[in-house]
Each structure stands twice: as C-alpha cells, then as structure tokens.
Amino acid sequence: MTEHRDADRRSPEPHDPGHDMVAQTARELAHRGRDAGPAKRTSWLPAPGQGFGVTFAQIFRKVTTEEYPEVPKVTKPRYHGRHVLNRHPDGLEKCVGCELCAWACPADAIYVEGGDNTEDERYSPGERYGRVYQINYLRCIFCGLCIEACPTRSLTMSNDFELADDNRADLIYTKEQLMAPLLPGMEAPPHAMRLGDDEKDYYVREAGGAAPPADPAAGARDDQPVPVNHP
C-alpha cells in the first residue's frame, strides 16, 4: 500500500474485498486536478523567441573541427577498442581456452574452441590453449565484460577503433589477427615452457618478471633475462 499525507488519498490494495478501482481512479484524478497549478513562466520572452534564442546563441560559438583522418584522434587511456590476445614473456599464449569470455559476452560475439597442449606441441602453459578464437565485430558492443571474465589476463582491449570495412566477413577477426606481436626475446609457439617447469611459474610472478623461487637452487634456473610484456 502506498502511503500519502491525506488519509483519503491512500491507495488500498486492489484485491481487497469491496475495492472499487473506478472510484479510486476518480478520487486520484480529482486531487491531481485540484493540486496542479498553472505553469509559471521563467522568462519575459515569448516561447518562439526563446527557441530562436538558442539558435542564435550557437551562431557565434567557435566551431570545433577535427581533421580526421589526416590527424589521428587521440583516445583515452582506458578506451575500449579492438581486442588483443596477449603473450607471456617467452612467447607462449596466455589464453587457456576456458571460454569464459564467450559465456560473459552479452552479444554472443566471441567463439572459442580449446585444444590440448602436448610436450611436443605446446602453445600455452598448462593443459589447454585457445585453438580457435574469433570475435565478430558486427555484434561486439565493446562493453568489456569479456575482459573482466578472463582469468589469465589474456584478453585486453587496445585503443584501436578503426574497424570499419565494406565486407561483413572481414569483420570477423580470427586468432591470428588478435594475437599480440612477438616482442624481442619472445619465441613463436609451439615450444616448451621457458619460464618454469609448471604453469604456476607463469601466473605467480613478481613485478620484475622472475618467478618466486621455491627452493634456493631454483633462483638460478634461468640464465638469460626475459623481457616482460605488460599488456
């Protein structure tokens, strides 16, 4: 029940015995008409003059012109642009093919198929990797929910917003188009794990890029410094 200041303006339950909906509506309309007053004018100008005043005020304002595409537009640092599949410092892929990004996508724009890693053919640490990864940018609304759902920080969003095309098929990006480029010191997969003997050494790492040693002899495992790829 909705309470009002006046007892006769209370809205009774519509399912109460003897409730008259027509009478209640008539009472509410009567109070509404009694309480409503004429709208007060806030300007001495007539209504057409107020409307034209807005138009004339815009004439003398400086026009902002963006010279795009000759001058590239600078986006905000956290702009939601084209997706990127990141790599570990040794070149292995961070994506483990869990498909959580596809489940979180409200537009059903992501398609993922996982595959099994083997010792002879390894693309990511652990057991699984993203064998097929596609994003349909005809559906994507750039909400970023897929980024929040990724457990390995594999999927991030760049500042690239120039995605227009004249072919619908070209707007379905594949894994090869989404993968981050290989930086100096990285090796293209498949290859064995370089940063440790277990996938835990990849995901539990210090800021400097070195995995925390489990024993005194583990600190001398890597002879070469490995550059860290910060997404």
Side-chain angles (χ1 to χ4, degrees):
M1 179 184 297
T2 304
E3 296 292 341
H4 297 278
R5 293 183 180 180
D6 300 335
D8 58 345
R9 297 184 63 182
R10 296 175 182 174
S11 299
E13 295 294 337
H15 301 290
D16 291 344
H19 173 63
D20 190 351
M21 182 63 71
V22 177
Q24 176 189 346
T25 304
R27 289 195 303 269
E28 292 178 354
L29 291 177
H31 282 286
R32 185 180 304 175
R34 182 183 62 187
D35 298 340
K40 296 181 180 179
R41 297 181 58 85
T42 59
S43 175
W44 57 270
L45 289 175
Q50 298 181 33
F52 284 112
V54 176
T55 304
F56 288 126
Q58 299 295 325
I59 295 177
F60 302 100
R61 296 185 61 181
K62 182 179 179 180
V63 178
T64 302
T65 304
E66 295 184 359
E67 301 294 339
Y68 179 83
E70 288 77 11
V71 179
K73 184 176 178 60
V74 179
T75 59
K76 298 297 182 180
R78 297 178 64 87
Y79 179 81
H80 286 189
R82 184 179 63 85
H83 297 74
V84 176
L85 290 173
N86 297 289
R87 301 177 184 270
H88 287 286
D90 62 347
L92 289 180
E93 303 168 3
K94 289 187 176 182
C95 180
V96 295
C98 64
E99 303 181 23
L100 288 178
C101 54
W103 282 98
C105 181
D108 196 21
I110 302 178
Y111 176 74
V112 183
E113 284 186 9
D116 294 329
N117 285 314
T118 61
E119 294 303 327
D120 298 331
E121 191 174 6
R122 174 173 295 279
Y123 291 89
S124 68
E127 300 178 357
R128 304 270 291 173
Y129 74 100
R131 186 177 63 85
V132 177
Y133 201 103
Q134 297 177 358
I135 296 182
N136 188 348
Y137 282 108
L138 295 169
R139 292 185 173 184
C140 180
I141 59 176
F142 299 92
C143 62
L145 292 180
C146 52
I147 308 302
E148 302 294 336
C150 183
T152 62
R153 193 59 178 170
S154 167
L155 190 64
T156 54
M157 302 184 80
S158 67
N159 289 22
D160 183 14
F161 61 90
E162 297 177 326
L163 299 174
D165 209 309
D166 57 357
N167 188 0
R168 296 174 63 89
D170 293 339
L171 289 173
I172 301 177
Y173 279 47
T174 61
K175 177 182 175 180
E176 291 73 17
Q177 296 172 282
L178 298 171
M179 284 300 305
L182 292 170
L183 298 180
M186 293 184 178
E187 180 183 354
H191 62 77
M193 291 187 289
R194 309 291 192 220
L195 305 182
D197 300 330
D198 190 81
E199 64 270 15
K200 184 178 179 181
D201 297 332
Y202 280 77
Y203 297 108
V204 184
R205 302 181 61 82
E206 297 177 355
D215 54 78
R221 182 187 310 166
D222 297 331
D223 297 332
Q224 299 293 334
V226 181
V228 179
N229 179 23
H230 295 285

